[in-house]
């Protein structure tokens, strides 16, 4: 779980899905699936990017589109 400065939340879980949430806790979108168990997610660059790391050692980055904010 990670929080952006505007209150958005990004989570990863055992289902291998990266999810974005609004500050009120309602879901915004499913961003991606990892092929391995994701262990960490973090907002980068003023909340425009999300980076995730998985058990297999892969690091992925996602650029958020305006509709995902």
């Amino acid at each position: 779980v990670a929080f952006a400065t505007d209150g958005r939340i990004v989570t990863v879980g055992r289902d291998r899905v990266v999810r974005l949430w609004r500050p009120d806790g309602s879901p915004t979108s499913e961003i991606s699936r990892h092929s391995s168990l994701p262990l960490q997610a973090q907002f980068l660059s003023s909340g425009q990017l999300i980076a995730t790391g998985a058990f297999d050692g892969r690091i992925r980055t996602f650029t958020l589109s305006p509709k995902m904010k």
Side-chain angles (χ1 to χ4, degrees):
V1 174
F3 297 89
T5 57
D6 63 4
R8 288 174 299 149
I9 304 161
V10 63
T11 62
V12 294
R14 290 184 178 265
D15 60 0
R16 301 179 181 178
V17 177
V18 180
R19 289 186 174 88
L20 189 63
W21 306 81
R22 291 181 186 92
D24 66 6
S26 60
T28 298
S29 58
E30 291 185 1
I31 299 171
S32 181
R33 285 191 173 268
H34 272 270
S35 57
S36 178
L37 180 66
L39 301 173
Q40 176 113 15
Q42 188 66 44
F43 283 97
L44 305 171
S45 182
S46 301
Q48 302 299 316
L49 294 171
I50 291 175
T52 61
F55 186 75
D56 62 3
R58 292 183 186 197
I59 296 172
R60 298 177 69 184
T61 59
F62 305 95
T63 302
L64 299 178
S65 69
K67 68 178 183 176
M68 297 173 109
K69 297 177 185 174

